[in-house]
Structures are given as C-alpha cells and as structure tokens.
Amino acid sequence: MNAFDIHIHTRRYSGCSFIDDGDIVGQAAAAGLSGMALTEHGMRWPDEEFGRLQKISAGRGIVLINGQEINTFDSSNRSEGEFLVFGLCRSLTQTCSAARLVEAVHREGGIIIAAHPYKLSRGGKSHYYGAGDLVYKLELDGIELCHPDHGELAMKKVRKAMDVLKIPGTGGSDAHKILNIGSHVTLFENRITGEDDFIREIRAGRIRAEKRER
Ligand SMILES: [Zn+2]
Ligand SMILES: [Zn+2]
C-alpha cells in the first residue's frame, strides 16, 4: 500500500509546529507510510538541506517530497484560503490571489491542491480557513478531502466539488505534533519513487484519501 501523508509541518520552518525534523522519519516508519510531503507555511525547504533529509528517509524506504503551503488574499486583503503546492523549484513567499497562485504554479509546471477548503473558522457558518466554494472558480489539480478539521459536512462538500470539478481528493494530517503524522493519508495506486511520479499520479487522479483509525 502506497500511503503518503502529504501535509506536514516541522518547526524548522513553520513556527507553529512542534515537530523536530529529526523525528519525522521514525514516526513515518512507525505509521507504516511509504512517503510523506513537507508543506511548510510560505516556503519550501532549501534543496541542499532537504536532500540530506531525503537521504536519511530513503534509508528507511520512505519517499520524501518537498512542498509548501501558501496563503492567498484578494485585493482587499481578505483570505482566499490556503493551498498545497508541489513541483516548484522555489518558495512562493509573495502573497497574491488564489487565481494568480494557480496560474503561477501551472506556469512553472507544478500542481496545486486546496488545503482544508471547508475547515470552519471561528466566524462560524460559511466562513472558512480554506478556499470554500471559491474552489469552483479555480483550476485546481486536487482538493484536500481527509483532514483532521474536516467533519462529515465538510467532506460532503469536498466530494461534491471533486465530482463537479473532476479532480481527486487527497488526505493529509496537517501534523504540527509528531504523533499526528500518518493520521490522514493519500493512497496511491502505483508505486511512487519521487516527485515526478507523485505529481503525475495526482494529476491523473490515481489516488484516494483515507482517515486512519488509531
Ligand atoms: Zn493550512
Ligand atoms: Zn498546514
């Protein structure tokens, strides 16, 4: 089974995370993962540093993917949600609208996935920490389905969007604490050996999302 947790933050580059990058490989192995993706807020790991981590990871048979999670804003500075981005060679630190982010990612050959689109904000009903129904106006490559902050209603909305937009649903733990790694996963039909496989298989929709019981 090719289970990947594709949404993880470490404290090295995400101030809100408690996860030490030295612990992630052991935890991924314990959780039975085939791979995982690091998706730090507003940046991706520098190549050299990431390469070292990748090597350690490969030694345990775990594929490590370098991604990032990017926040977007409209022209009045209202949030348009967060997005997981893969396949880029640079960090997308500059903020822009969701539509412009999609455009930039595709221009550079990457893929973009709406992160927790229907995670409710404290503002209550129909205020989201994610893109919400804006997903219908974007050319996304995927949408996060299984996420710790997605209840039944949120998942129903995501499934509808998957149907209408014909894009696959992903799973990720959004772990900020070590034991959460692997709680939600993306299952790949085919073996993934690196970033190229990872991106191709998500584009082709040969994945499904799963919440794992502990
Ligand atoms: Zn997020
Ligand atoms: Zn996150």
Side-chain angles (χ1 to χ4, degrees), residues 137-158:
K137 294 192 178 142
L138 301 169
E139 285 197 33
L140 297 166
D141 301 286
I143 179 167
E144 206 167 41
L145 172 65
C146 291
H147 179 279
D149 295 315
H150 269 176
E152 276 309 310
L153 183 61
M155 286 179 61
K156 205 175 141 191
K157 288 180 185 223
V158 173

Side-chain angles (χ1 to χ4, degrees), residues 7 9 41 69 174:
H7 189 166
H9 299 272
H41 292 292
E69 182 172 24
D174 204 354

Side-chain angles (χ1 to χ4, degrees), residues 2 12 27 44 47 72 88 90-91 93 95 98 110 142 203:
N2 301 295
R12 184 162 195 94
Q27 178 58 27
R44 85 195 258 288
D47 287 320
T72 59
L88 260 57
R90 65 183 181 104
S91 289
T93 37
T95 55
R203 269 201 196 116

